[in-house]
Each structure stands twice: as structure tokens, then as C-alpha cells.
Amino acid sequence: MAEKKYIVTITRQFGSLGRPIAREMSEILGIEYYDRDIVEETSKKMNLPVSKISEHEETYSTNLFSMLLPLGSDSIAKQDEIYKKQIIREMAEKESCIIVGRCADYIFRDHRNVLNIYIYAPVDARYKNCVEVLKMKPEEATKMIYKVDKARTAYHKRYAKYAPGDPDSKQIMIDSSMLGVRGTAEILAEIVQKRFGL
């Protein structure tokens, strides 16, 4: 018997192509996936420009990462406010969906019908994705892999109290370089279908 409503959360390393994989999965499964939508919805709720929400989302400032948080010392307080809004709860209440990032694995930890996925890839594969797929300059790709991974890890540890790739919080961990975007999406969609009896 199929479950009426379910949530798939995707946590990912930068450059592992988690977002396009989520998009492909949503097409296969016929459900929504939320990523940038969360930023836009949060900006409406908080009456802030999308650019300001984006500056704070999934980053957490220590002095090392202050460059990722242009608003300065009030950045952590602003992140706390954004996190507490938890727009994703409202989105997930409407229908089955895939949620990328935003500590969704932690926020929905007690949800009855949730599947938590972590998408990773070797550094050389992520570098190649950044240059060839995301069209970054080679020197930019190297810096961004390091900076974004560090910032996402700090953010996740701040709110969830564990690292994004913590195996105790995930049911599936997959190397996206093994099968590529489409192949990874197909395998994950099949697991979702089996898990929820679709």
C-alpha cells in the first residue's frame, strides 16, 4: 500500500550535482523539488530581498568564512531568524516533495515518511563538474569546492549538531560520479518508490 505523502531530503557536497539530480528525480517521481523556491518564499515571509536571504542561507560564519556573509556581525542572528522560519515545513505539508539542503534531514528527523540522501563525489569529479557543467573558471572551482563545503558543514553543525554527511542521519549515501546525473537520479527514484510502496 502506497504512503499518501512523503519527503525526500538531499544533502550534498558542492559540485556533486545534487541539485540537477534532485530535479531529475522530481520528474521521474512526478513530485515537486524545492531549492531556490525556499529562498524566494523566505524572502517574502521576512520582507527581505532574495539576494539577502541567499547571502545567509546554508552558510555559517566564523572569522574564516566572514567573506561569505557580507552583512557582517548581524549575520548569525539573521541566519537564526531564517532557520527558525522553516519555510520548508509549510512546503512539505502541502504534498510529497524533494528538499535540497537547508538541514531538512534534521528538521524532518521525526517525520514518519522521510528518506534522507547524501550525494557526494571525489574531489576530481567535483572539480570537473564545476568547470564543465557549472562553467566555472578552474581557479574559482577549486576555491568554491573548499569554501562552500566548509560553510555548509559549519551551517549544518550549528543547527543539526552533526555534519552533512553523517551516516547516522542518512539512509542512502551515493557517489554521483559513478552513474552521472541521470543514472543517479534513476537509482534514487527507484529506491524512493520501493521505500514508499509507489
Side-chain angles (χ1 to χ4, degrees):
M1 181 178 161
E3 296 284 4
K4 288 183 178 178
K5 193 166 57 178
Y6 62 90
I7 301 166
V8 176
T9 76
I10 293 182
T11 312
R12 74 285 186 219
Q13 287 184 319
F14 184 75
S16 66
L17 302 180
R19 182 183 295 171
I21 289 168
R23 186 169 56 243
E24 291 272 357
M25 286 175 67
S26 76
E27 290 175 8
I28 296 168
L29 295 167
I31 62 174
E32 290 295 328
Y33 92 99
Y34 296 115
D35 185 5
R36 292 298 302 171
D37 321 65
I38 297 166
V39 176
E40 290 162 10
E41 191 63 28
T42 303
S43 74
K44 289 178 195 170
K45 295 267 183 183
M46 296 181 68
N47 198 26
L48 284 172
V50 168
S51 61
K52 290 300 179 192
I53 300 296
S54 296
E55 284 170 4
H56 293 284
E57 263 232 319
E58 287 199 287
T59 59
Y60 171 61
S61 180
T62 61
N63 290 334
L64 183 62
F65 303 119
S66 59
M67 69 182 72
L68 296 178
L69 297 167
L71 296 186
S73 61
D74 72 339
S75 293
I76 293 173
K78 189 60 70 179
Q79 283 177 2
D80 286 343
E81 190 180 348
I82 291 167
Y83 177 79
K84 284 171 187 172
K85 288 288 180 187
Q86 294 189 358
I87 302 300
I88 58 176
R89 283 192 183 279
E90 295 175 22
M91 292 176 159
E93 281 173 12
K94 296 175 188 173
E95 59 192 344
S96 295
C97 61
I98 298 168
I99 300 174
V100 180
R102 282 81 191 177
C103 286
D105 57 325
Y106 177 73
I107 291 170
F108 294 106
R109 63 194 179 282
D110 296 323
H111 194 280
R112 184 165 164 258
N113 300 322
V114 66
L115 180 68
N116 299 313
I117 297 169
Y118 182 68
I119 297 173
Y120 66 94
V123 173
D124 58 342
R126 294 194 286 144
Y127 172 83
K128 186 177 178 184
N129 289 337
C130 286
V131 174
E132 295 180 4
V133 180
L134 304 178
K135 306 300 180 189
M136 290 182 173
K137 293 178 181 175
E139 60 275 14
E140 181 189 16
T142 302
K143 289 177 185 175
M144 288 299 286
I145 287 170
Y146 173 77
K147 285 180 184 174
V148 176
D149 275 354
K150 284 283 191 181
R152 284 180 180 167
T153 297
Y155 177 89
H156 213 88
K157 284 184 173 178
R158 173 170 172 78
Y159 297 109
K161 310 302 181 195
Y162 55 81
D166 174 47
D168 289 339
S169 66
K170 306 293 181 293
Q171 287 79 50
I172 305 292
M173 303 180 83
I174 189 166
D175 176 354
S176 61
S177 70
M178 182 172 59
L179 298 171
V181 171
R182 184 67 190 181
T184 303
E186 287 174 345
I187 290 293
L188 291 174
E190 185 177 345
I191 291 170
V192 170
Q193 288 166 337
K194 287 185 183 295
R195 164 68 178 84
F196 298 112
L198 306 175

